[in-house]
Amino acid sequence: MRALTWHGKRDVRVDTVPDPAIKDPADVIVRITTTGLCGSDLHLYELFGPFIDEGDILGHEPMGVVQEVGPEVTAVRPGDRVVVPFNVSCGTCFMCGQGLHSQCETTQVHEYGTGASLFGYTRLYGQVPGGQAEYLRVPFGNTLPVAVPDGPPDERFVYLSDVLPTAWQAVEYAAVPPGGSVAVLGLGPIGDMAARIAAHRGAGTVIGVDLVPERLERARARGVHALDLREHGKHLVDAVRDLTGGRGPDAVIDAVGMEAHGAPVGKLAQQLTGLLPDALAAKLMENAGLDRLSALHLAIGLVRRGGTVSVSGVYGGMADPMPLLTMFDKQIQLRMGQANVHRWVGDILPLLTDADPLGVDDFATHRVPLEKAPEAYAMFQKKEDGAVKVLFKP
């Protein structure tokens, strides 16, 4: 089959690799019909080389049609249309029972002390082959794939793999009171969708912050108060307070993470790590990693006293300096973590109707053949051509 594979920093290629096969009686093989490019994939493209092997298959936002099932699979059968959550979760352990599928005890990566394995995401998360490919082996066939109806286009459902549950959890964790206010930092795929979900769930004021003109205009078109970081600069806090009665928003969602702009020390540390031999770089990242924290620090500065900061942007550092004095003084609540995909599917599926209240049908900005994936990665990283969400068609 053809699949997108990692070969080095900013070097991904579409190669011919062996087809996946049933290994466990509960496995299924899915023929991928649509698969997404995630902002988290850019961390692999740029930063996490020490934890990836050449030839690893990337991608964790797939959907498709069941091609083959193992002998113990009864929940789906060949021909069924399914979405594959990015968490590799068993659905039956204690953590899954708590709705914490990202902490699945069956697939936790004990070697690195991390949570549930993820499709297409480094040794830190199990080194499971990913879904930017023509076919994908999916374990836990009775509990992991999400069956969706035939008929509507893939764009109606593919975001159930990651974008929708990640954004939904970000809003849930933000605990925006009815009619309250929320600021979303970063209007990439997750931030854009989080703003839509917050408005749908009853937030009175939704503010978005970014510095890419196309992303700002896209948010404004859906009623978001979109603020250009370049225009407001150090006066951004004042601009947000002007929109929230002088107090600051009830909640702030950090949808940026460790690749934030305006963090020269963290950026330099990441670049230096990239120059080290893999073994040394891996040890440094595990024990002394440093993130670019400007987005998180901004979230803490923006949120009103007694408010909530919800972090959906990925951070990976182990020695990140946090403004604990400010956090304590402002009595801030902080919630974060990988999205627990299955926890939110029941809430989201009823919204994926012809009415399309979240705008999923036209959420993608680019639909490209899988063979063009390397060019799409480069475009997405550079935020060129208005790229917000890229879908691959194998």
Side-chain angles (χ1 to χ4, degrees), residues 91-367:
T92 57
C93 70
F94 172 82
M95 286 295 178
C96 289
Q98 302 299 305
L100 295 170
H101 300 85
S102 67
Q103 309 300 325
C104 174
E105 292 177 322
T106 306
T107 72
Q108 285 176 14
V109 185
H110 298 292
E111 179 182 358
Y112 292 100
T114 51
S117 296
L118 309 177
F119 286 102
Y121 218 81
T122 81
R123 292 193 296 277
L124 288 172
Y125 287 97
Q127 208 166 24
V128 181
Q132 290 171 359
E134 292 183 310
Y135 295 92
L136 177 68
R137 182 181 75 89
V138 180
F140 310 113
N142 289 313
T143 52
L144 182 55
V146 177
V148 296
D150 291 328
D154 280 6
E155 282 83 345
R156 185 73 56 84
F157 303 112
V158 67
Y159 306 116
L160 276 173
S161 59
D162 183 349
V163 173
L164 282 166
T166 296
W168 191 277
Q169 180 170 296
V171 175
E172 180 75 18
Y173 282 8
V176 185
S181 55
V182 58
V184 181
L185 304 184
L187 294 171
I190 302 303
D192 185 339
M193 185 56 74
R196 299 179 186 205
I197 290 170
H200 175 77
R201 293 181 59 171
T205 301
V206 180
I207 302 163
V209 179
D210 207 296
L211 43 67
V212 180
E214 295 89 347
R215 297 183 178 194
L216 292 163
E217 286 305 314
R218 180 177 160 106
R220 289 188 185 110
R222 297 192 68 90
V224 174
H225 297 277
L227 302 179
D228 190 333
L229 186 61
R230 299 167 304 172
E231 176 185 341
H232 293 281
K234 60 181 66 176
H235 301 294
L236 180 68
V237 172
D238 294 332
V240 172
R241 286 179 179 166
D242 287 345
L243 293 169
T244 54
R247 184 178 294 124
D250 298 304
V252 178
I253 295 171
D254 173 3
V256 179
M258 62 179 158
E259 292 191 359
H261 291 268
V265 175
K267 180 177 181 180
L268 179 60
Q270 290 177 350
Q271 289 173 338
L272 290 175
T273 300
L275 299 175
L276 296 172
D278 280 356
L280 183 57
K283 187 59 65 177
L284 184 64
M285 290 176 71
E286 285 181 68
N287 297 290
L290 188 69
D291 289 318
R292 295 155 71 175
L293 292 172
S294 54
L296 183 54
H297 286 186
L298 177 59
I300 292 165
L302 285 174
V303 72
R304 70 162 171 81
R305 291 178 178 273
T308 301
V309 172
S310 171
V311 181
S312 62
V314 175
Y315 288 94
M318 292 295 289
D320 290 332
M322 293 291 291
L324 290 173
L325 174 61
T326 301
M327 295 167 68
F328 182 84
D329 178 64
K330 292 184 72 172
Q331 202 167 333
I332 289 169
Q333 299 183 71
L334 181 63
R335 294 201 70 181
M336 65 184 75
Q338 296 278 11
N340 306 295
V341 174
H342 264 287
R343 168 65 181 83
W344 311 114
V345 166
D347 296 297
I348 299 167
L349 261 177
L351 302 177
L352 305 182
T353 63
D354 288 340
D356 193 20
L358 301 179
V360 295
D361 281 348
D362 60 358
F363 188 70
T365 54
H366 294 74
R367 300 165 181 83

